[in-house]
Amino acid sequence: MTFKARLSVCAALIALSPVAPAFAQHGESQITDVITVTTQKREQSVTDVPINLTAYNTRRLEVLGIEQFDELSDFVPGLEIQEQSPNTPGFAIRGITSDDTTATGEARVAVFQDGVPISRARGAFVELHDVERVEVAKGPQPTLFGRGALIGGINIIQNKAQLDDAMSGAASFTLGDYNRVEARAHVNLPLGETVALRLAAAHKARDGYVDNVLGGPAMNAVDLVAYRVSARWEPTDALRLDVIANYQDDTPEGGTSFKSGVYAPAPGVSLEPWDPAALNTLPVLEDGAPLGIGRKVYGVTVLGDYILNDDWSISSITGWRALETREILDSDGFAAELLAVGENGSGHQWSQEIRFNYDAGGPLTGFFGVSYFYERSQQRIALASHEAAVQALLAPQLAAGAGLTVAQVEALLALQGVPNAGGFDDPLNPLGLSVPSLLTTGQIAPLSYYREGTTNFGETTAFDVFADLSYAVTDRLTLSAGLRWTHEDKEAGISGWHYDAPNRVTGAPTVFLPATPNGVMLESGERSFDDYTWRLTGQYDLNAAVNLFASYARGRRPDVISFSDGQFVIAPAEIVDSYEVGGYWTLDSTNIQASVFYSEYDNFQSGRLEPQSATYIVDNAGSATQYGFEGQVDHQMTDGLSVFATYAYNISEFDDTDSGGNLQEFAGNTFRLSPDHAVSVGVLAEFDASFGRLSLIPTWTWQSEVFFNNDNDLTDAVQDEVQGDFGLINVRARLDLPNERVYGEVFVNNLADEAYIIDAGNTGDSFGIPTFIAGSPRMAGVRVGASF
């Protein structure tokens, strides 16, 4: 999108509502207020919920400058969110990563919008605009969040239409370096005593920060629009109905900077991930799309609440969601046309939950209900290579097979236009990559493009019955128990396909999925699974200021159907038993929450790419153990000075042996995306003056070493696929005018311009040519806004 077009979109958004929210009204800037949450399906103070829960409301999100998921994870202990791209995010709670993008994969971390599950990782990275609050529950949450909440759940509670007497609204506008342009707006429109409408929109655009020496847009850009329309109907005090429609479209050009750690992009350009890369686009998909991402996520949610009497109420959550994705990437990460990948994905889901809630004002409270979930998803992965580049990479092997010297092979390749042929004399091919007709009767075969790949689909129907009860044994002691039974019917399918290149031998076989007829879908047939999950908790109010809790819970990641070695295989359900004790300490000026936890895993599911079949396989990696500590402190030092901090200590490792006593492949290794230590510290300093209220908010986040693969870099050809410890400093300064309706701010993210990576290895690693993705450099900007 051009800069002029971006301004046009922003102008349209600003026109939606002429003003934007004030940061914090005078006298309401403290961050130590206890937040009301609905994690246990009823309104409670966060301190009364007997689990490890971090909840941030609108004001806290604004203080921290949080607008998207990866920014949220910097300030939630135990949460790591990796945005490789909006199409391939990774959600990790306590080192357990949920990032499977295949049609048959299952989530470990349940992500919800207003109680509706977002089952696909590709559809879960949504913009946090016009949000009431975000709740992050850590530890297994089967009865509260349902299937897929193996180790925790994230629920985004969006602002709903309000039946206020007057229209209200807000808007903001942002400009920054890298051609950053943003606009956000919402307006609430009461349409009578029983009906209200709310409109919200956001637009974000920013150029990439890694240049491509081969030309085209810089990589790691941002370009999205998000819209929401919500309506509320409240005909009586007993009935309320909310209808919410969401739409988000991400279209960043240039794609993701998968930069090679082996081959330099150009003479004099380093291998460092944050320096320019040399990525190209082979004709992977039929439309010849360039490097980039296209993703649409949209859906409709209907929330219904009906009060039957003083004791009972009914809640209904109906959801429909769909996604369409496309991503083109250069998987080898360097200039030669060795390996490009194109991915097309689509899917839709229906979900329905009916819940009966009981609260008669006595010692017993709880809920029970049923839920239904249906999803069908499809993913098409295309791979393209130019045989010249493949042969150049394998020149020494080719020379031996053809009775030629390496120099002779490279000379022949150079005559056929292979880029930088002389630079590929170091074979990195531990898996024996081969393409048909590399050699024909002792001579180098005609060189051409070659395309093939796989299509996989998955279909899931799930039915759940659940109940969760709490009983106040005394005024101080409350015990809770929850149970969920889940039944799943699943089906998977896969097909292999290829295109014969113009100069190839007629009828050449496919490399990938040789047992699969070209273009014919193989189906697994329906497979059925069922299981129980549960939680037991106890909460004890030591005094008016201190609440303690203890919990034991079992979580489950559902069984996964994969295709390997020409047949369908089932990775059994991943099971975790988790134990946790913790508490909340609430004073007038200080809130402290902390807990220690211990978890044991069986049938740990580990995903990998199988290069010879271009498919992602889920293996049973055996047993694992996890333990740690998480803490969070908010302290109001004076009326104008607050400090806040979080700390997470997490040890997540594979056991030496599995439950049968067999030595495990990843014995002793640390989980991927799991730092042992993570810290965040921030200050909110506010000063009153005649011209308004000035706020200064510096924050510092730090994490220790992190691996990007479960093999911990020990078996990789290039052994630097790890990010060492690093910290980031962000600073924001804001001025709210005396009318508390207009504000302006300046901000700098990554003030020290720290160089770091957010991912390493990736698809190229399966072929011995790992790639690396740089994190964001220093970025600055200004924002203005107002509210009415």
Side-chain angles (χ1 to χ4, degrees):
M1 180 179 289
T2 66
F3 186 77
K4 182 177 180 180
R6 292 174 185 173
L7 287 176
S8 298
V9 171
C10 292
L13 292 176
I14 295 296
L16 178 66
S17 173
V19 286
F23 169 64
Q25 293 186 1
H26 181 69
E28 296 185 0
S29 58
Q30 296 186 16
I31 61 172
T32 56
D33 295 341
V34 176
I35 297 174
T36 298
V37 298
T38 55
T39 304
Q40 294 195 122
K41 313 304 181 184
R42 61 185 185 274
E43 289 191 352
Q44 295 176 282
S45 163
V46 68
T47 62
D48 292 331
V49 181
I51 59 177
N52 188 316
L53 177 68
T54 299
Y56 288 159
N57 58 15
T58 301
R59 185 173 60 196
R60 185 61 174 266
L61 294 173
E62 290 179 354
V63 167
L64 298 176
I66 295 172
E67 298 177 351
Q68 59 187 44
F69 267 129
D70 55 338
E71 297 168 341
L72 173 69
S73 67
D74 289 337
F75 301 97
V76 177
L79 177 66
E80 293 284 330
I81 298 179
Q82 174 203 61
E83 190 206 358
Q84 187 184 100
S85 81
N87 193 43
T88 52
F91 295 83
I93 289 182
R94 295 177 175 174
I96 305 300
T97 304
S98 184
D99 61 354
D100 195 325
T101 61
T102 64
T104 57
E106 291 284 357
R108 283 190 175 108
V109 177
V111 181
F112 292 81
Q113 268 186 331
D114 294 311
V116 174
I118 305 176
S119 60
R120 295 290 112 203
R122 292 175 295 170
F125 199 89
V126 293
E127 188 71 5
L128 302 179
H129 72 107
D130 194 29
V131 170
E132 178 183 337
R133 69 181 181 278
V134 179
E135 300 175 3
V136 181
K138 286 154 283 185
Q141 306 297 335
T143 56
L144 300 181
F145 284 87
R147 63 189 303 274
L150 172 86
I151 197 60
I154 304 171
N155 193 16
I156 308 162
I157 296 92
Q158 303 174 116
N159 280 317
K160 314 297 189 304
Q162 300 296 317
L163 298 173
D164 298 327
D165 294 334
M167 181 178 69
S168 61
S172 65
F173 184 76
T174 304
L175 290 176
D177 49 12
Y178 294 90
N179 284 328
R180 178 173 182 166
V181 178
E182 296 180 10
R184 293 169 178 265
H186 76 263
V187 60
N188 191 81
L189 302 169
L191 302 179
E193 295 183 356
T194 62
V195 178
L197 185 69
R198 189 182 187 96
L199 308 175
H203 169 66
K204 294 173 62 175
R206 173 184 54 75
D207 291 346
Y209 50 82
V210 175
D211 291 329
N212 191 343
V213 299
L214 299 183
M219 291 165 282
N220 302 334
V222 174
D223 198 343
L224 72 85
V225 292
Y227 306 105
R228 184 184 314 130
V229 178
S230 60
R232 169 166 291 180
W233 180 51
E234 199 168 334
T236 69
D237 292 339
L239 176 63
R240 185 175 67 194
L241 193 68
D242 287 295
V243 180
I244 309 152
N246 282 285
Y247 174 86
Q248 181 168 328
D249 190 2
D250 294 86
T251 55
E253 297 179 331
T256 303
S257 61
F258 294 99
K259 183 176 178 180
S260 174
V262 180
Y263 297 115
V269 180
S270 80
L271 290 173
E272 299 293 353
W274 36 86
D275 285 339
L279 304 188
N280 55 62
T281 304
L282 286 168
V284 186
L285 299 177
E286 289 79 1
D287 59 6
L291 294 172
I293 298 162
R295 187 188 72 137
K296 295 180 181 179
V297 181
Y298 46 95
V300 178
T301 301
V302 180
L303 306 176
D305 291 285
Y306 182 66
I307 300 175
L308 293 172
N309 52 46
D310 291 341
D311 302 338
W312 288 92
S313 65
I314 301 176
S315 298
S316 171
I317 304 175
T318 306
W320 173 82
R321 288 182 60 88
L323 65 88
E324 304 169 21
T325 68
R326 183 181 66 178
E327 184 166 5
I328 308 296
L329 55 97
D330 184 354
S331 295
D332 56 67
F334 59 99
E337 297 177 323
L338 178 68
L339 180 64
V341 175
E343 185 258 0
N344 272 340
S346 63
H348 63 273
Q349 68 174 61
W350 283 94
S351 61
Q352 174 64 57
E353 178 180 301
I354 299 292
R355 190 177 70 248
F356 294 85
N357 312 291
Y358 176 77
D359 187 351
L364 180 66
T365 59
F367 59 85
F368 68 89
V370 296
S371 65
Y372 170 84
F373 175 86
Y374 171 81
E375 182 204 30
R376 184 177 177 90
S377 183
Q378 178 172 295
Q379 181 190 42
R380 181 172 179 260
I381 302 176
L383 293 90
S385 292
H386 196 293
E387 292 182 350
V390 175
Q391 293 185 23
L393 187 69
L394 304 180
Q397 292 95 316
L398 294 173
L404 303 172
T405 67
V406 172
Q408 288 173 323
V409 171
E410 291 180 344
L412 288 171
L413 294 171
L415 289 175
Q416 299 180 73
V418 182
N420 301 323
F424 303 118
D425 55 3
D426 180 19
L428 290 172
N429 192 41
L431 300 178
L433 173 67
S434 62
V435 173
S437 74
L438 282 178
L439 298 173
T440 303
T441 64
Q443 300 296 321
I444 293 179
L447 305 179
S448 60
Y449 290 109
Y450 181 76
R451 284 193 299 163
E452 65 181 50
T454 64
T455 300
N456 64 84
F457 88 88
E459 186 172 13
T460 297
T461 302
F463 179 76
D464 290 51
V465 179
F466 57 89
D468 196 280
L469 301 175
S470 297
Y471 186 79
V473 180
T474 69
D475 290 343
R476 294 188 175 186
L477 176 63
T478 300
L479 302 178
S480 301
L483 181 67
R484 178 179 291 263
W485 174 74
T486 299
H487 176 84
E488 296 158 335
D489 293 320
K490 291 189 170 189
E491 189 170 353
I494 193 166
S495 69
W497 49 268
H498 80 284
Y499 296 101
D500 284 330
N503 297 326
R504 293 182 47 78
V505 178
T506 303
T510 59
V511 174
F512 305 113
L513 294 175
T516 303
N518 188 32
V520 176
M521 181 73 71
L522 298 182
E523 298 187 13
S524 67
E526 187 175 286
R527 311 290 179 90
S528 296
F529 313 93
D530 60 77
D531 210 341
Y532 291 92
T533 50
W534 57 78
R535 74 163 184 150
L536 300 170
T537 67
Q539 179 178 325
Y540 185 73
D541 297 340
L542 187 64
N543 52 46
V546 180
N547 299 344
L548 305 177
F549 72 85
S551 69
Y552 160 58
R554 167 163 287 192
R556 169 182 178 267
R557 186 192 193 193
D559 305 69
V560 175
I561 303 174
S562 294
F563 187 83
S564 179
D565 295 328
Q567 61 182 347
F568 289 98
V569 294
I570 296 175
E574 181 180 316
I575 302 297
V576 59
D577 288 308
S578 184
Y579 310 84
E580 188 162 3
V581 294
Y584 298 85
W585 181 22
T586 307
L587 299 174
D588 290 339
S589 60
T590 307
N591 294 333
I592 300 174
Q593 60 183 94
S595 72
V596 293
F597 57 88
Y598 176 83
S599 302
E600 295 180 335
Y601 292 83
D602 284 326
N603 304 326
F604 192 91
Q605 297 174 355
S606 180
R608 62 179 172 84
L609 174 69
E610 192 171 83
Q612 300 300 341
S613 61
T615 57
Y616 283 89
I617 309 300
V618 177
D619 291 323
N620 182 354
S623 302
T625 302
Q626 175 187 63
Y627 57 90
F629 166 85
E630 293 168 357
Q632 183 169 333
V633 178
D634 298 325
H635 177 61
Q636 191 80 30
M637 301 181 68
T638 67
D639 287 344
L641 182 63
S642 303
V643 295
F644 46 92
T646 68
Y647 171 66
Y649 170 69
N650 177 49
I651 301 298
S652 301
E653 297 178 342
F654 291 95
D655 296 343
D656 291 337
T657 59
D658 62 20
S659 56
N662 303 305
L663 183 66
Q664 298 190 148
E665 178 184 3
F666 300 133
N669 286 7
T670 298
F671 291 176
R672 59 187 291 261
L673 299 181
S674 179
D676 290 351
H677 305 274
V679 177
S680 71
V681 179
V683 175
L684 170 59
E686 299 177 295
F687 311 91
D688 286 322
S690 59
F691 52 81
R693 189 171 182 84
L694 181 65
S695 304
L696 181 65
I697 312 105
T699 62
W700 175 67
T701 59
W702 176 89
Q703 68 174 39
S704 60
E705 178 184 79
V706 63
F707 293 100
F708 296 104
N709 293 293
N710 287 335
D711 66 6
N712 285 186
D713 205 25
L714 298 177
T715 62
D716 297 321
V718 179
Q719 302 221 333
D720 56 0
E721 296 167 34
V722 58
Q723 170 60 55
D725 63 280
F726 72 99
L728 300 177
I729 300 172
N730 297 337
V731 179
R732 300 170 64 223
R734 173 167 172 149
L735 174 65
D736 288 276
L737 297 185
N739 62 10
E740 299 179 347
R741 294 187 179 277
V742 179
Y743 74 90
E745 69 177 31
V746 296
F747 60 87
V748 183
N749 297 328
N750 191 3
L751 177 66
D753 203 20
E754 180 78 15
Y756 64 101
I757 59 174
I758 61 172
D759 201 7
N762 304 299
T763 303
D765 194 37
S766 299
F767 300 93
I769 43 177
T771 57
F772 300 79
I773 304 173
S776 299
R778 178 172 52 233
M779 294 185 180
V782 297
R783 177 177 293 123
V784 295
S787 64
F788 71 94

